[in-house]
Amino acid sequence: MEKFTTHSGIVIPLDRSNVDTDAIIPKQYLKSISRTGFGPTLFDDWRYAEPGEPGMDHSKRKLNKDFVLNQEPYKNGSILLARENFGCGSSREHAVWALEDYGIRAVIAPGFADIFYNNSFKNGLLPIVLSEKKVDDLFVKASSKDGYSLTIDLDKQLVIEQDRETTEETPFEIDEFRKYCLLNGLDDIGLTLQYADEIKAYEKRRRQEAPWLFA
Amino acid sequence: MTGKTLYDKLWDAHVVREEDDGTALLYIDRHLVHEVTSPQAFEGLRMAKRDVWRKESIVAVPDHNVPTTTADRGNGSAGISDPIAKLQIDTLDKNCAEFGINEFHMDDIRQGIVHVIGPEQGATLPGMTVVCGDSHTSTHGAFGALAHGIGTSEVEHVMATGCLIQKKMKNMLVSVDGKVGPGVTAKDIVLAIIGQIGTAGGTGYAIEFAGEAIQDLSMEGRMTVCNMAIEAGARAGMIAVDDKTIEYVKNRPYAPTGEIWDKAVKAWRDLKSDDDAAFDEIVRIHAGSIEPQVTWGTSPEMVRSVNDKVPDPADESDPVKAKAISDALDYMGLEAGQPINEVTIDKVFIGSCTNSRIEDMRQAAAVVKGQKVADNVKLAMVVPGSGLVKKQAEDEGLDMIFKEAGFEWREPGCSMCLAMNADRLEPGERCASTSNRNFEGRQGQGGRTHLVGPAMAAAAAVKGHFVDVRSV
Ligand code: SF4
């Protein structure tokens, strides 16, 4: 997993609530058995003028000019700004893989769906919850079209806005274990297997208490 | 000391270890696997040279991608015309064979939607922790189990370690008090709940559904309710164990027998919240006020009674919400203030892990019997949830009722619920669907989905528009 320490990038304002994982990566692409290659079809239905299918050369497809990812300066953005309940719906981790593959490193929203939130951390994508008011404020700034950038410092847990004269810092919450894994790019399977003996001891006890669970 | 909720009990029984910050290793009893969210997990195991922790914990089945026409199902996966879909199903077969995992293959009568076959086989038992790389795993909570959907990295983690890394969620009680009126079903109850608490209302919670109207439901109905807990934002929904639960589980292939059965039943009797258990949030709904529901928008919370009108964004004071309403009306091709029962439909889909069990088939057939699908309906299809549901329905003659009315009677799978295979809506087509998601493009790009219960879908099929099933 890629480490996340600090990241600076252009903010992409996606002004919608309840952006679901079907919208992030439509189902026809879920037939892939690989973890990579989903970037070109991120937000496929919104991003392109015509429906897409796996196997197409996506670089040749006609773009929907009204969609934010197709506009300057957002094309080069790496921090996605969205409304409440981002990532709701299906558990498909392909949604996170698509965001990552496209080059998004962080998503800022007032709230995330639980499974999406969880999946993000497993792939080095940082979901940041900020207050609705702060998100509103960022939408106004990011919509000004001249390439509004932010810096995210995971260790200090800060979203940093910097222009010529002023610096504004907004703190965010993240749980310790997830932060530790992200900062160090750690594979949590390896961490869990350090406790293999405890897991075995638990199993042994449960086999006696509740043998029907092991049939 | 206050008592424990059902969720507290399930959680406590499965914690292997817990860190100071509350991050826990939760032991997983049952892992259900399907073809879409598992290939990358198996690949991960192979790359790290890891084996599966406990093979017997896993049951695998292909469901999302399988074709549902009899012609395409003759010959195992060879009948699948889409080579990418075929590869995914073949990959599941290959992975299961390599890792020694029990799989119900495409041509096995036990094949079906993963959330239908788990309970049907008794692979889902009360008191279990159940996971699957699929958000509708919440379905299995109907058995007094702790069941949640997980992502593919977590699928790999559970395969490799037998455990899931979790933090405890908060407790929410949704109590549906009193009795529902005649003709009001489990689907109407859960849609009404989502309409009230919203699609993010349950985020961060495990929801326990309780109250007289929930107790009155059959196990099929309870599964319908828990299935859609995720649409209310909750990863897990659950219902206390009672006689109906135990009766349903008895004699299923994976269920215990003899002495162990007796011991299990004794343990299962305690799978309910204590009278003095404390919940972080309590929601009460009067069952008597619930009418048959129809979603009008692109999120399951955009739902109203069939006798109501499509909302008007002008009546909404919050600008973000007003925009969401007008976006949804644009996408759905509806006018503000239009009566819902005047909305005509193009297709009908009865199926999905929400409503494809035998009771759903019976409810729909009862409405369809002796009627014909309306002329304006281009396609009406029934897709049973499993091979065994299909067989049972055929034994009861339900397939004939559907076919005589002009429905297509299909082979089991997810089908048009997510349209990964050939079953899908064309742009602009409007569908009465018994599935669980009405997101933009969910049933095919540009398709318009209205979520309803099976009897309401059947009524819409014969009338050609939405109609209160109680008046048909
Ligand atoms: S029927 Fe639909 S919701 Fe259920 S598992 Fe299949 S695709 Fe998912």
Side-chain angles (χ1 to χ4, degrees):
Chain A
M1 188 177 87
E2 203 175 336
K3 283 185 192 176
F4 192 113
T5 47
T6 60
H7 176 77
S8 301
I10 293 176
V11 179
I12 309 164
L14 179 64
D15 197 356
R16 286 185 181 244
S17 42
N18 295 313
V19 171
D20 57 79
T21 52
D22 281 71
I24 300 173
I25 184 82
K27 64 250 161 190
Q28 63 269 34
Y29 304 110
L30 307 188
K31 295 175 200 166
S32 166
I33 55 172
S34 138
R35 249 175 216 262
T36 52
F38 295 101
T41 52
L42 172 71
F43 295 123
D44 200 77
D45 285 358
W46 294 339
R47 191 159 147 204
Y48 296 100
E50 308 282 337
E53 286 298 330
M56 280 181 168
D57 181 352
H58 303 288
S59 65
K60 301 225 164 72
R61 291 169 62 197
K62 193 164 167 255
L63 297 173
N64 168 13
K65 296 217 172 58
D66 295 335
F67 187 58
V68 64
L69 280 194
N70 296 327
Q71 297 167 350
E72 293 291 353
Y74 310 121
K75 268 184 177 166
N76 305 313
S78 57
I79 298 174
L80 190 68
L81 180 67
R83 299 283 184 187
E84 57 158 2
N85 203 23
F86 186 86
C88 62
S90 131
S91 63
R92 60 186 73 160
E93 200 160 311
H94 312 66
V96 175
W97 300 334
L99 288 161
E100 277 263 279
D101 198 47
Y102 177 86
I104 305 288
R105 294 302 321 274
V107 185
I108 300 176
F112 292 88
D114 285 339
I115 302 179
F116 176 87
Y117 187 76
N118 219 33
N119 286 343
S120 300
F121 287 102
K122 313 277 179 189
N123 294 279
L125 176 73
L126 178 61
I128 299 177
V129 178
L130 294 182
S131 71
E132 210 139 327
K133 197 158 154 264
K134 186 67 214 173
V135 169
D136 275 342
D137 168 51
L138 291 175
F139 264 107
V140 173
K141 291 172 177 160
S143 305
S144 70
K145 301 261 177 191
D146 48 3
Y148 185 72
S149 292
L150 286 176
T151 297
I152 294 160
D153 184 328
L154 176 58
D155 188 38
K156 298 205 180 87
Q157 296 181 217
L158 291 175
V159 172
I160 303 161
E161 302 166 64
Q162 204 158 25
D163 59 28
R164 272 180 213 99
E165 298 92 50
T166 58
T167 302
E168 195 180 328
E169 297 181 335
T170 313
F172 62 89
E173 303 263 328
I174 176 170
D175 84 44
E176 277 305 314
F177 177 71
R178 285 174 161 148
K179 177 172 161 180
Y180 171 77
C181 289
L182 212 51
L183 282 172
N184 298 291
L186 286 178
D187 160 12
D188 56 14
I189 296 179
L191 290 177
T192 299
L193 286 173
Q194 294 174 354
Y195 305 116
D197 289 343
E198 281 180 58
I199 303 171
K200 285 190 186 131
Y202 170 92
E203 264 180 348
K204 197 169 162 213
R205 175 166 63 80
R206 286 288 278 178
R207 267 182 206 275
Q208 274 163 8
E209 279 172 14
W212 57 88
L213 296 174
F214 296 86
Chain B
M1 207 180 98
T2 50
K4 288 181 174 185
T5 65
L6 171 58
Y7 173 58
D8 295 338
K9 291 181 187 182
L10 292 166
W11 174 268
D12 289 349
H14 289 89
V15 173
V16 173
R17 59 173 285 127
E18 195 164 352
E19 306 294 333
D20 290 341
D21 74 343
T23 304
L25 270 188
L26 200 65
Y27 189 79
I28 300 303
D29 299 315
R30 179 67 70 209
H31 186 182
L32 302 166
V33 165
H34 66 80
E35 78 277 24
V36 177
T37 53
S38 66
Q40 297 86 355
F42 282 114
E43 189 58 28
L45 290 183
R46 257 193 297 268
M47 276 168 18
K49 300 200 172 22
R50 287 178 176 133
D51 199 4
V52 171
W53 180 270
R54 184 164 71 86
K55 299 181 198 305
E56 318 83 72
S57 68
I58 305 179
V59 175
V61 69
D63 57 359
H64 283 62
N65 242 324
V66 299
T68 62
T69 52
T70 313
D72 288 342
R73 288 287 283 262
N75 212 351
S77 72
I80 304 177
S81 50
D82 174 351
I84 315 177
K86 180 174 180 304
L87 175 64
Q88 199 169 54
I89 289 173
D90 290 342
T91 303
L92 179 68
D93 292 352
K94 205 177 94 231
N95 284 330
C96 289
E98 180 183 331
F99 285 91
I101 289 167
N102 188 12
E103 181 194 354
F104 299 143
H105 294 267
M106 224 179 95
D107 48 9
D108 190 316
I109 191 165
R110 298 169 297 175
Q111 181 272 341
I113 304 171
V114 64
H115 309 308
V116 174
I117 68 151
E120 189 172 76
Q121 292 298 318
T124 303
L125 293 174
M128 274 185 164
T129 42
V130 181
V131 295
C132 174
D134 191 285
S135 59
H136 290 100
T137 310
S138 57
T139 311
H140 308 262
F143 291 82
L146 174 56
H148 24 62
I150 56 178
T152 297
S153 295
E154 289 175 315
V155 169
E156 185 181 337
H157 188 278
V158 175
M159 282 177 174
T161 70
C163 294
L164 184 67
I165 300 175
Q166 270 277 292
K167 263 195 161 175
K168 197 171 175 200
M169 299 178 274
K170 289 181 286 182
N171 278 291
M172 180 188 286
L173 177 71
V174 174
S175 181
V176 188
D177 301 324
K179 289 192 179 299
V180 290
V184 174
T185 64
K187 185 66 163 285
D188 302 312
I189 294 176
V190 72
L191 285 172
I193 292 170
I194 296 163
Q196 178 160 334
I197 71 175
T199 44
T203 305
Y205 290 94
I207 299 182
E208 180 176 346
F209 299 99
E212 189 181 354
I214 300 290
Q215 282 160 7
D216 283 351
L217 293 173
S218 64
M219 288 314 293
E220 282 89 349
R222 293 178 190 182
M223 284 188 255
T224 301
V225 171
C226 289
N227 174 272
M228 290 191 75
I230 185 70
E231 270 64 53
R235 252 179 127 168
M238 63 196 76
I239 294 174
V241 169
D242 64 8
D243 291 345
K244 280 185 206 170
T245 325
I246 291 167
E247 215 26 63
Y248 184 99
V249 171
K250 201 173 179 175
N251 297 327
R252 304 245 163 210
Y254 280 72
T257 51
E259 250 173 67
I260 298 184
W261 167 261
D262 296 337
K263 198 174 165 201
V265 169
K266 204 161 155 252
W268 294 343
R269 292 280 177 200
D270 186 46
L271 293 171
K272 54 181 197 292
S273 290
D274 295 332
D275 292 339
D276 57 345
F279 287 89
D280 301 288
E281 182 76 45
I282 296 181
V283 176
R284 292 195 181 277
I285 293 182
H286 294 288
S289 65
I290 301 174
E291 295 195 60
Q293 304 281 304
V294 182
T295 65
W296 53 266
T298 52
S299 161
E301 70 187 10
M302 295 175 162
V303 65
R304 289 199 164 181
S305 150
V306 62
N307 299 309
D308 218 328
K309 294 187 170 77
V310 173
D312 188 338
D315 298 337
E316 175 60 60
S317 54
D318 176 340
V320 176
K321 286 193 183 130
K323 180 173 178 290
I325 296 176
S326 65
D327 286 352
L329 295 186
D330 276 352
Y331 181 85
M332 294 296 290
L334 295 172
E335 301 286 331
Q338 194 177 350
I340 290 175
N341 56 24
E342 285 175 13
V343 175
T344 57
I345 55 165
D346 305 303
K347 285 186 175 169
V348 177
F349 170 63
I350 298 177
S352 89
C353 57
T354 316
N355 285 121
S356 65
R357 297 179 182 83
I358 189 65
E359 186 181 89
D360 304 310
M361 305 283 112
R362 289 182 192 138
Q363 280 177 11
V367 175
V368 166
K369 193 165 190 175
Q371 310 262 6
K372 289 273 180 241
V373 170
D375 290 340
N376 61 306
V377 175
K378 288 184 252 178
L379 172 71
M381 62 197 291
V382 186
V383 187
S386 71
L388 289 167
V389 170
K390 179 167 184 264
K391 180 171 182 304
Q392 162 110 33
E394 288 171 355
D395 290 347
E396 294 178 20
L398 305 182
D399 59 323
M400 290 316 293
I401 295 177
F402 288 119
K403 285 190 222 164
E404 276 161 18
F407 277 85
E408 292 191 14
W409 177 249
R410 295 290 187 90
E411 299 293 325
C414 293
S415 181
M416 216 197 322
C417 173
L418 94 163
M420 263 186 88
N421 58 17
D423 309 338
R424 64 176 81 166
L425 300 179
E426 298 303 322
E429 277 183 343
R430 189 180 298 288
C431 182
S433 178
T434 66
S435 55
N436 43 49
R437 289 194 173 133
N438 52 353
F439 300 153
E440 285 186 21
R442 170 76 178 182
Q443 295 191 288
Q445 202 194 27
R448 295 162 171 162
T449 301
H450 296 268
L451 304 176
V452 287
M456 284 287 287
V462 299
K463 294 292 177 193
H465 58 86
F466 291 106
V467 58
D468 189 335
V469 65
R470 297 171 301 184
S471 68
V472 177

